[in-house]
Amino acid sequence: MSFLLTCPNCGAREVTDFGYGGEINPRPKRDPSFRELNAYNYFRTNTAGVQREWWFHRSGCRAWFYAERDTTTNEVLKTELP
Amino acid sequence: MSRLAPQPGERIDRSKTIRFTFDGKPVTAFEGDTIGSALYAAGQRTFSRSFKYHRRRGLMCVAGQCPNCICSVDGAPGARMCTEPAREGLVVEHVNATPSLEHDVMEITDRAGTKFTPPGFYYKTFIRPRKFWPLYEKILRNAAGLGKLREEQPEREWRTEYRRRHADVLVVGAGLAGLSAAIAAAELGADVVLTDEGPEPGGRLLYEGGHEQARSLTARAREAGVEVLCSAPALGYFDGLVPIWQGDTLHQVRARRHVLATGAIEQPLVFAGNDIPGVMLSGAVLRLASLYGVRPGDRAVIATTGERGVEAALALGAIGVEVLAVADLRRGPAGNDDRLREHGIEILHGWTVVQARGRAAVTGAVLEPLPGCPGHGSMRLELDCDLVVMSGGQAPATALVSQAGGSTGYD
């Protein structure tokens, strides 16, 4: 696995510069039930296709940002700051 | 020393000498020599021993493609003498022969009766009786392997530098095709990286009389802004990322387009004794003579399947090697026959070398016509020679493109 990610601050870098933060799932609202918390913590949709995910520019500006990546081809469609 | 007069375009610098040792004996080389070329010039013919039968192995390809000249350099096994540059004070040692390259006790496996060691016998033959296995194991474990690691490793002095490089085009292989591709792309404004495993760009041009063209193309490429990496083999292709190993630096090159101009690997011919030291590929003798100014032999017999062997014959003739005959597998007359005859070299169409004779080095060659050619079964030529040059055609070097998942085709 090897591809380029465009950090919104720094520009295109090797993927090994970044840390993967997992797919984006909506934060539960105030005072969630245990069931909601459980779902937030442990359930993943594991999309085969385009998914929105968190990335962390570990060896660069150390910013967390969003990326839209096709999980089947590793093509990165878009990156943006939250 | 069997050095020729200075050759046009040679890689060595005769004004600078280097001293290193091979098995404790001092060897003198010139700046630009490889360990292999310096030893060959000093008269060494046996460079290693074969893995199992401990048959002598001499220089064969002089291109880093065969394991014939494997050695240990400064205690690190696995170096190839024909590509490893000679440097001042190197300690070069042979591998896989005890007590010495010239006298190897394990050679008995090649000499002893065929019943004891038939071709392809396994060391497993020695498993019975079971209770003696620990004894056998001790001996066999020592018999196997190429080279020995040092008991204690020195403090790691070197470290790897990692360098990332983004480019528009990566060209692997700096022969005529690669250089031309790199120049064409760079002159259109692309950011180009050109890499080659050899110490200078040019590929075959360097030893086939095109060194001036190679150097002018290289200069033009540099002028056009091509980044030229030498002694830098590309290690593989991983989703568009090509790691290139150059000394202590790993260039991680990501390019948008790749041109793989990796060239071809010359193939040997099959005949009895084709592993005796002194049987070499045509490219090997040309490299020895043109790049390092080393005389490959005095009396040569050439076995070829095409023009490459004929060109080698003419080149050998030009440096004063006596070419006794060119055995050409092609049955009919070919383009360069007249040129060979002008130089007094006999060409035998439809003939080939069926045997190379000799033990420590080639002493002769036996030539016969092919089946279906005039004289087959009745004619036979035995020539005394110290060099058999073979050229069995070219196989494209497709390792990188195959590893990348590509396919190849003829057009």
Side-chain angles (χ1 to χ4, degrees):
Chain A
M1 184 213 51
S2 162
F3 56 96
L4 289 185
L5 259 173
T6 307
C7 168
N9 293 324
C10 312
R13 296 288 187 276
E14 283 295 326
V15 69
T16 47
D17 268 20
F18 297 89
Y20 178 55
E23 64 185 53
I24 297 170
N25 46 0
R27 246 175 200 289
K29 296 193 181 67
R30 196 182 290 268
D31 300 327
S33 67
F34 281 128
R35 184 163 290 277
E36 281 167 340
L37 266 183
N38 182 63
Y40 174 70
N41 276 331
Y42 299 114
F43 287 1
R44 301 284 178 267
T45 55
N46 206 16
T47 312
V50 179
Q51 79 170 7
R52 279 174 71 76
E53 51 198 24
W54 281 108
W55 283 87
F56 170 49
H57 197 182
R58 198 167 44 195
S59 353
C61 63
R62 303 189 69 79
W64 283 94
F65 62 94
Y66 294 148
E68 269 177 32
R69 178 178 66 103
D70 189 325
T71 56
T72 55
T73 61
N74 275 335
E75 189 189 355
V76 180
L77 307 172
K78 195 167 105 181
T79 54
E80 60 184 350
L81 287 170
Chain B
M1 296 283 279
S2 52
R3 295 277 184 181
L4 299 161
Q7 298 292 302
E10 66 184 12
R11 186 175 285 162
I12 51 172
D13 178 353
R14 296 183 193 233
S15 64
K16 292 181 190 149
T17 53
I18 288 173
R19 279 174 195 83
F20 65 93
T21 63
F22 177 62
D23 286 344
K25 287 172 299 194
V27 181
T28 311
F30 292 123
E31 180 88 33
D33 256 326
T34 62
I35 294 169
S37 67
L39 283 174
Y40 201 91
Q44 185 80 24
R45 290 297 176 266
T46 305
F47 284 74
S48 73
R49 291 282 182 155
S50 73
F51 191 63
K52 199 186 221 175
Y53 293 105
H54 291 249
R55 289 169 67 87
R56 287 165 188 268
R57 291 284 181 258
L59 282 189
M60 192 184 71
C61 71
V62 197
Q65 301 288 356
C66 73
N68 274 17
C69 57
I70 214 155
C71 69
S72 137
V73 174
D74 284 347
R80 290 158 298 179
M81 292 191 217
C82 68
T83 53
E84 189 74 24
R87 289 188 304 273
E88 186 68 36
L90 282 186
V91 178
V92 184
E93 284 163 319
H94 75 270
V95 293
N96 201 33
T98 317
S100 77
L101 260 186
E102 292 304 315
H103 306 281
D104 184 358
V105 289
M106 288 297 283
E107 200 179 7
I108 191 141
T109 55
D110 188 36
R111 301 275 181 80
T114 50
K115 275 183 189 156
F116 185 58
T117 59
F121 84 100
Y122 283 97
Y123 289 132
K124 279 187 208 163
T125 311
F126 298 101
I127 206 154
R128 287 195 185 82
R130 255 338 242 250
K131 64 177 175 185
F132 287 139
W133 170 246
L135 172 69
Y136 298 150
E137 187 188 25
K138 216 173 169 183
I139 297 164
L140 295 177
R141 285 275 188 269
N142 282 323
L146 286 171
K148 281 197 173 60
L149 288 171
R150 280 172 288 204
E151 302 256 316
E152 277 181 31
Q153 289 299 311
E155 197 74 13
R156 225 171 99 145
E157 290 163 0
W158 54 273
R159 44 180 297 177
T160 309
E161 297 286 341
Y162 296 92
R163 172 182 179 244
R164 287 191 178 138
R165 176 75 161 85
H166 294 254
D168 294 324
V169 181
L170 169 67
V171 183
V172 180
L176 182 53
L179 275 167
S180 309
I183 290 170
E187 288 183 349
L188 287 171
D191 179 14
V192 185
V193 178
L194 173 66
T195 185
D196 194 88
E197 62 181 356
E200 63 180 314
R204 272 175 62 184
L205 288 175
L206 293 171
Y207 57 91
E208 289 185 353
H211 57 277
E212 278 163 10
Q213 191 190 0
R215 274 155 209 172
S216 72
L217 281 175
T218 308
R220 206 175 131 200
R222 288 213 166 93
E223 212 166 280
V226 176
E227 182 184 350
V228 184
L229 302 174
C230 294
S231 302
L235 306 181
Y237 178 97
F238 306 99
D239 286 344
L241 187 78
V242 178
I244 294 172
W245 184 247
Q246 185 188 38
D248 293 343
T249 306
L250 188 71
H251 303 269
Q252 298 170 328
V253 182
R254 179 178 291 281
R256 290 197 288 172
R257 289 281 182 274
H258 298 84
V259 178
L260 306 183
T262 44
I265 300 165
E266 191 169 29
Q267 302 298 298
L269 288 171
V270 180
F271 50 84
N274 68 351
D275 63 340
I276 298 169
V279 180
M280 298 168 92
L281 292 173
S282 76
V285 292
L286 291 180
R287 277 184 280 273
L288 275 182
S290 326
L291 297 178
Y292 308 111
V294 175
R295 175 187 291 277
D298 294 321
R299 294 159 61 82
V301 168
I302 291 169
T304 185
T305 59
E307 279 310 294
R308 295 261 294 173
V310 176
E311 296 288 344
L314 290 166
L316 285 176
I319 57 167
V321 176
E322 190 185 349
V323 181
L324 302 173
V326 177
D328 193 337
L329 275 172
R330 292 173 299 179
R331 295 175 185 209
N336 274 322
D337 290 5
D338 293 337
R339 276 175 69 200
L340 283 175
R341 288 198 192 95
E342 269 169 37
H343 289 84
I345 300 171
E346 191 178 4
I347 180 147
L348 302 162
H349 281 291
W351 284 59
T352 193
V353 170
V354 294
Q355 191 191 355
R357 289 200 168 144
R359 182 158 263 173
V362 164
T363 56
V366 182
L367 288 77
E368 276 182 18
L370 294 174
C373 287
H376 174 68
S378 58
M379 288 173 79
R380 184 182 169 88
L381 208 52
E382 295 183 20
L383 299 169
D384 290 335
C385 61
D386 62 356
L387 179 65
V388 175
V389 179
M390 56 185 171
S391 177
Q394 309 276 94
T398 53
L400 188 57
V401 69
S402 307
Q403 192 266 330
S407 59
T408 53
Y410 289 97
D411 61 5

